[in-house]
Amino acid sequence: MNILEDTSIKQIITASLKKAISYQDYRDLVQQLVINKSTTGNEKTEALVNYTMLNDRRMKRWDKTLKISEEMKEQASNFNGNVTWLVITESWCGDAAHVIPALNKIAELSPNINLKLVFRDDNEALMDHFLTNGGRAIAKLIMIDNLTNKVINTYGPRPTKATALVNDFKAKHGVLTPEFKEDLQIWYNKDKGQNIMSDALNLLNI
């Protein structure tokens, strides 16, 4: 990345951070959207409204049931960096509903991790700097060093094991079928956030 590009992305990130919200504010917003039968993003289709309702239930479940091992707690507490996890999301995104609660559980363990959320359709310039295979896939985590304001890592849109499942299926079948997407949700439920939390700790190099 050249100096001009580096300056440009710092400005975009700074602008996005000004609009970012906490995890609790995000949960409150999604719950209000369910009450209003609405959704985030530019499109307000019935399908996306229904996905938002489903994701609210998923996040509520994960907030209550995610279990963190003592080893993970120790790893997170030993992190002595100073970072922001800026996550691009939308309330209708199925992967985000599984990923973000798990990221929050890790962030809660360390005062040195600041989890913030922004919406994809409201932050197109940011999203376009962090595409996945050319697509605007979410949830996308951007890890920023708070001392230098430099991007030091990215993560997403899915945990590593789910990504491998998706890539293998696409290689064999070309596209993701509705049946595969159901199987992926079953995988998330069986994994119980463990792969996501492990990935998150690996981001911290601890």
Side-chain angles (χ1 to χ4, degrees), residues 125-192:
L126 180 71
M127 182 77 261
D128 287 344
H129 267 277
F130 297 98
L131 302 176
T132 302
N133 299 322
R136 292 180 166 185
I138 51 176
K140 189 75 171 189
L141 182 154
I142 305 156
M143 187 161 79
I144 304 155
D145 186 315
N146 290 331
L147 300 181
T148 65
N149 292 323
K150 287 187 175 181
V151 175
I152 51 178
N153 217 331
T154 62
Y155 174 71
R158 300 181 179 95
T160 49
K161 291 180 182 178
T163 297
L165 292 173
V166 168
N167 291 343
D168 288 346
F169 193 89
K170 280 186 175 180
K172 292 178 182 177
H173 304 282
V175 296
L176 301 182
T177 63
E179 292 77 14
F180 174 82
K181 292 178 180 179
E182 288 182 10
D183 290 341
L184 187 61
Q185 295 304 317
I186 293 171
W187 177 88
Y188 274 119
N189 291 334
K190 288 182 176 179
D191 183 71
K192 301 183 185 302

Side-chain angles (χ1 to χ4, degrees), residues 51-89:
Y51 285 136
T52 291
M53 186 181 302
L54 176 60
N55 289 338
D56 179 53
R57 293 200 296 267
R58 285 171 173 158
M59 289 188 287
K60 187 179 298 183
R61 182 178 75 246
W62 288 134
D63 287 340
K64 292 180 180 179
T65 63
L66 281 174
K67 303 296 184 185
I68 306 176
S69 69
E70 291 303 317
E71 181 183 2
M72 284 185 175
K73 290 179 182 178
E74 183 177 357
Q75 286 179 304
S77 65
N78 287 337
F79 176 61
N80 58 8
N82 184 1
V83 300
T84 293
W85 282 353
L86 180 61
V87 181
I88 307 172
T89 186

Side-chain angles (χ1 to χ4, degrees), residues 75-76 79 83 85 106 110 112-113 143 153 199-206:
Q75 286 179 304
F79 176 61
V83 300
W85 282 353
I106 297 297
S110 173
N112 300 320
I113 304 171
M143 187 161 79
N153 217 331
D199 286 347
L201 289 169
N202 285 337
L203 280 177
L204 304 174
N205 293 316
I206 55 177

